[in-house]
């Protein structure tokens, strides 16, 4: 029985490839539909729809939205699985493999996390050394927050997992089935992933009506840019490792770290914590040096740390 890997092997070989089962346009349209199915339910119910009196960070809203996106992920994943296995396009095991469920990829997840931590070595230095977060980890405070605060659970677990299930596991295999080029797969699907976050513009306007519209638009454009860039990185990792677990842990880690600092002085959160010492310029010097060193080491190890026998397609680096 034909398989996705079979289609891909012919696609990347010198043999004349057969017409793909679906087109890139069809795959992209399905991704847009998946995105709408993911976002629109938020605004169809008063339980999940934010307003001036109900924040998106309210526990009741978070719980209802997690339920909604979980059902969405199940629906979209089943849809992709049916498309992949219909008319003999792929066997069931091959479909599960292309969706990143099996093999789980524990080693791939560890290497992908290490690679991303190298890129964030500067922010890690600021967080753990300058801001003293290592003390919180000794008392396992972040773990306690994860299981006791709904916003933390959403940002670190529910959000990253459901987004990767939908925008990588359920979406990328459709691009592969359409025999879309690697470049388009890496950079086209993440744009749709980025667009899925634009609804935050409306929610931000509700909660911050005093902020000028121009500032709100700029905020959304910046968010679209970095979510699209992260989406491209996550798609690259998914193609290289074939592991849903790998991209989930990387996404969760990036949400923990937030957007890296590219300007400003690095200082302790509480300048009066030690009255005998003043914030040193060396904090900032070390940070920005590590920022560049981390970027260089990340690029150098991009190939070796993402190499896997479970790769979905050959990706040249």
């Amino acid at each position: 029985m034909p398989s996705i890997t079979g289609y891909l092997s012919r696609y990347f070989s010198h043999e004349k490839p057969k017409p793909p089962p679906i087109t890139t346009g069809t795959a992209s349209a399905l991704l847009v539909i998946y995105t709408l199915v993911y976002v629109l339910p938020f605004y169809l119910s008063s339980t999940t729809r934010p307003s001036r009196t109900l924040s998106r960070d309210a526990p009741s809203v978070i719980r209802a939205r997690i339920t909604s996106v979980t059902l969405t992920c199940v629906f979209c994943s089943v849809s992709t699985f049916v498309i992949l296995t219909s008319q003999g396009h792929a066997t069931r095991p091959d479909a599960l493999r292309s969706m990143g469920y099996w093999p789980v990829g524990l080693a791939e997840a560890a290497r992908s996390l290490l690679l991303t931590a190298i890129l964030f070595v500067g922010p890690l230095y600021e967080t753990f050394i300058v801001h003293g977060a290592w003390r919180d980890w000794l008392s396992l405070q972040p773990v306690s927050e994860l299981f006791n605060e709904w916003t933390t659970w959403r940002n670190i677990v529910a959000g990253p997992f459901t987004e990767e299930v939908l925008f990588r596991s359920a979406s990328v295999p459709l691009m592969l089935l359409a025999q879309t080029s690697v470049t388009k797969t890496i950079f086209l699907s993440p744009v749709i992933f980025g667009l899925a976050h634009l609804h935050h513009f409306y929610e931000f306007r509700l909660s911050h009506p005093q902020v000028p519209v121009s500032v709100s638009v700029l905020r959304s454009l910046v968010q679209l840019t970095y979510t699209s860039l992260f989406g491209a990185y996550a798609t690259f990792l998914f193609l290289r490792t074939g592991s849903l677990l790998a991209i989930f842990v990387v996404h969760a880690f990036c949400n923990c770290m937030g957007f890296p600092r590219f300007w400003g002085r690095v200082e302790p959160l509480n300048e009066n914590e030690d009255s005998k010492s003043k914030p040193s310029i060396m904090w900032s010097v070390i940070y920005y040096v590590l920022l560049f060193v981390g970027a260089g080491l990340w690029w150098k190890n991009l190939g070796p740390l993402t190499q896997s026998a479970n790769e979905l397609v050959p990706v040249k680096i």
Side-chain angles (χ1 to χ4, degrees), residues 44-66:
L44 298 179
S45 168
S46 59
T47 307
T48 56
R49 184 172 57 246
S51 64
R52 295 185 185 277
T53 58
L54 185 63
S55 168
R56 66 185 295 268
D57 292 330
S60 60
V61 173
I62 295 175
R63 289 193 297 268
R65 285 192 170 191
I66 289 177

Side-chain angles (χ1 to χ4, degrees), residues 254-296:
C254 288
N255 278 13
C256 283
M257 298 306 301
F259 196 68
R261 172 199 298 272
F262 291 107
W263 59 84
R265 187 165 177 169
V266 176
E267 298 178 349
L269 293 177
N270 185 358
E271 297 183 13
N272 297 321
E273 185 176 2
D274 187 350
S275 59
K276 296 181 180 179
S277 62
K278 295 182 178 180
S280 170
I281 189 64
M282 288 306 298
W283 291 122
S284 300
V285 172
I286 294 173
Y287 172 84
Y288 287 108
V289 168
L290 288 176
L291 202 64
F292 282 100
V293 170

